[in-house]
Structures are given as C-alpha cells and as structure tokens.
Amino acid sequence: MRILCLNRGSSTLKFALFDDSLARIAGGTIEVKGDHQRAIESALDGAAAAGTPDAVAHRLVHGGPELHRPQRVTAELVASLREIVHFAPIHLPPALECIEAVGRRHPGVPQVACFDTSFHWDLPVVARRLPLPRELDAAGVRRFGFHGLSYEYVVSALGPRLGRRAVVAHLGNGASLAALLDGVSIDTTMGLTPTGGIPMSTRSGDLDPGILVFLLARGMPAAEVEPLVSRRSGLFGISGSSGDMRTLLGAGTAEAELAIDQFCYAIRKQIGAYAAALSGLDTLVFTGGIGERAAPVRERVCAGLSHLGIELDRECNRRGEEVVSSLTSRVAVLVVATDEDLVMARHARKVLAPQS
C-alpha cells in the first residue's frame, strides 16, 4: 500500500509518499503564498511522479472536543470539522481544502485524518482544566495541546533513551514544549488553540487576557483580534521585520536580537517549569525546524540551566550532532529530526488494515 501524507502547516504544505515497507519514496515542501489550490496540486503532482497513492493521510491540527483518534475521512467527518473551524481558523480550512482536492484527484482512494491533539488527549486534569467556570470546560474550552504527531515520533524514535522525565521542545514556525513522564504527556504549552504558549514566528503565545479586553474596549474590531495574535505578533511583532529565525539570526539589529532573546528566554523558563512538574529532568530534546537546525538558539536556551544539570557541548551543538550535551552533563540534551509524515503513514495503515 502506497500512502501519501499531506501535512498542511501555517505557511507550508509538506508531502511524502511511502511504500509498503513505509520507506519514503517521494516528498517535498511547498511554500504556500496565497494560492492554496496551486500548492495542493503541486504536492499531488510531485507525489504522482513516484506512483498513484492507495491511501492518503492528512494532519489535522484540531479536532475540537470530540475528534482526536486517527480515523477514515467520511462526509460526516468533514461536516463535523467544518463546524469546529473556529478552534483553528488558520489551519483547518486549508486542511479541508486538501481533503477535497484529493477527493477530486483520486476519487475512491481512502483518506485518513490524523489529529495533532491525540497525543495530549489524556492530560492530567490539573494541566488540562483551564481556570474558568465548569460550564466552559464542559463545552470544550480546555487545554488540548498540539504538535502531537511530532512528539509521538520523538517518543518512538528514542525509546528507552528518552528517559523517564523528559522535556521536548518542538521549535518551528509554530512552537511548543511538552513535559513527558515515561513517554506520556503530562503538560504542554499550547492550550485551547495553537496560538497559546511561547512566542512563535507570528503568533503571540500566552498573553494577559486583559490585553485583548483592553483593545476591544478601545475600539479594535473583534475580527482583527485573530490576525493580530496569529499573524502580526511573536518574533515578527517584536522585531518589526521578520518571523523567520534564519533571517533574524543574520540580521544583527537590536530588534532582531530582542526577538531571539525573548523566544529563547520563554523556552528556558518553560524548561525550568516542566523540570519542577516532573520533579527533575533526565532528557531535553530539541526538534522541529528551529530546534533541529538553529545551533545558536539551542545554545541560548541552555545557557543558565546548569542548576538543572544541563551543560551543552558547544562544538557538538555547532555541528548539530544528535547528542549535544557535554560528558559531564547530568541531563542528556538531544537533537532529533522529527518525522510527522511517518507517524501519519503508520496510523493510516492501521486504520485501513482489514479487520480480522
């Protein structure tokens, strides 16, 4: 069974085609610059060069308060997803476009939805419940957590090397951290939506809710709040020029340096908080585009964490080796190239396997 995986992020569309043995036989990343349909067709064309898929798996960022298990795409599922677009208005509409485009291009080919919230679904109530009235919790206003496919891959790839108490930092255009106890998520930075947590490329991360109340009271239209916190904030908002970490690291301006410093400072604080939640720390893992490739970010994050037992080997870190902690570090610091597509392919094969 050839399985095509489509991973629609906030600014890119990644595709990967796997063969029967789950070996990757084609793949690529397409920058999405306004024309979603053209990006989807380019991805489908790129995969078609290696063969027609027998199944297609999609990364769905949010499934709302009901949907979280990997499952076959049906008309009923698509209708349900349309009803919860407000949970992830940046991510869900283009993902639904991908599902529709595949249906037109490959009618009859089964599709599978893989939800990014699944990994965190059973968070302890102390982390899951938000400090709001009970009726809102019952209505689904809770901490969901995201990047679950990435965290799932890290756990499977490292196995026992993950250690009992681990913090994983998935750092990319979207960024989050998770505290894992025996490979199970006990807390994560993103909350109801992928906008929460640490500052990101263009997303604000956590804010004093009074800020939004203040802006609304001063006349900001409600329709402008989402673009403000999702597209104009974070690294882009601080620097005033770019949300791309590669650009900021080479900019050399005071504004760019402040953006990088705030990003790393927020991550460093969160590592300390999660070390407390885990009653200690055995392993720190960096993954995601920034986590895997930006050695200066890893160095700035780890600076000042020696009290937790974290010591970086600067040369290993500069070379981007898998183990970047020093020989004397009590905490293993690892760099893992994540593979959400492989996790999606595994789920699709399991969902579509004949029932005995």
Side-chain angles (χ1 to χ4, degrees), residues 158-180:
L158 290 178
R161 295 178 60 206
L162 181 66
R164 185 159 191 267
R165 303 166 301 179
V167 172
V168 182
H170 176 104
L171 309 178
N173 282 330
S176 68
L177 289 86
L180 309 184

Side-chain angles (χ1 to χ4, degrees), residues 193-214:
T193 74
T195 308
I198 63 172
M200 296 167 248
S201 176
T202 62
R203 294 176 232 168
S204 65
D206 288 345
L207 292 172
D208 171 0
I211 294 172
L212 301 183
V213 174
F214 172 82

Side-chain angles (χ1 to χ4, degrees), residues 171 245 249 260 263-264 290 294-302:
L171 309 178
M245 182 58 71
L249 286 170
I260 298 167
F263 182 69
C264 296
I290 296 172
V297 170
R298 295 194 297 265
E299 183 171 348
R300 292 195 200 193
V301 166
C302 292

Side-chain angles (χ1 to χ4, degrees), residues 29 70 110 162 169 205 219 326:
T29 299
L162 181 66
S326 69

Side-chain angles (χ1 to χ4, degrees), residues 59-82:
R59 171 177 170 253
L60 275 297
V61 166
H62 216 311
E66 302 294 335
L67 302 170
H68 65 96
R69 292 186 180 87
Q71 56 193 278
R72 187 162 178 164
V73 173
T74 63
E76 292 76 18
L77 177 66
V78 170
S80 296
L81 290 169
R82 292 197 185 285

